[in-house]
Amino acid sequence: MDNFLFLVFSLLTLVSALLVVLNKNAVNAAMFLLVSLVGLAGLFVLLDAALLAFVLLLVYAGAVVALFLFIIMLLDTTPGTQKPFGKFSIAGAVLGGALLFVGAHMVGRNAPKAEAVAPAVPTMKNYAELLFTTYLLPVQVVGFMLLIAMLGVIVLSKKLASPTEAAS
């Protein structure tokens, strides 16, 4: 029975993750992301990590997907309204990718060795201790990246005034 459930949740996760990437409608892609996260939570439950599945559903399926839908509705995603990328955008993307690569390399280089083994019975206290000691830097990096993404959405959603509107 476990093998059957593993196959079902794995297929659900993989197919819906592919549909997130391949779907042209942003709202539908967000809904497939939600389905993919539910499949992933099912896999966590099969691995006896019910707390992780609960946190995944609560944080990602609840808050992050709702935030994605809010951002999609805030941005004008109709075809033909988007401007092509300029030289500065491409240079910024290359610079950001290079910084991300250097940061990931530094985190991987300074990663703790095998001494930080999680206890056999995961509890909320153990998760919190690992998050605030061993994995403090990755948690802070992810938080900073989410802040940058939020600021980017605010800048992208800002309506630019035309020269005639700005003059009046």
Side-chain angles (χ1 to χ4, degrees), residues 51-104:
L51 179 64
L52 193 57
F54 176 72
V55 169
L56 179 82
L57 287 177
L58 189 69
V59 173
Y60 287 99
V64 172
V65 172
L67 180 66
F68 283 171
L69 287 173
F70 176 72
I71 290 168
I72 289 167
M73 291 178 187
L74 191 63
L75 293 175
D76 188 16
T77 59
T78 55
T81 59
Q82 299 171 346
K83 295 182 235 174
F85 292 117
K87 292 178 184 175
F88 291 117
S89 298
I90 294 172
V94 169
L95 181 64
L99 286 175
L100 181 64
F101 177 75
V102 169

Side-chain angles (χ1 to χ4, degrees), residues 27-45:
V27 174
N28 289 341
M31 290 294 114
F32 283 119
L33 177 64
L34 180 65
V35 173
S36 176
L37 291 172
V38 168
L40 194 60
L43 289 174
F44 282 142
V45 168

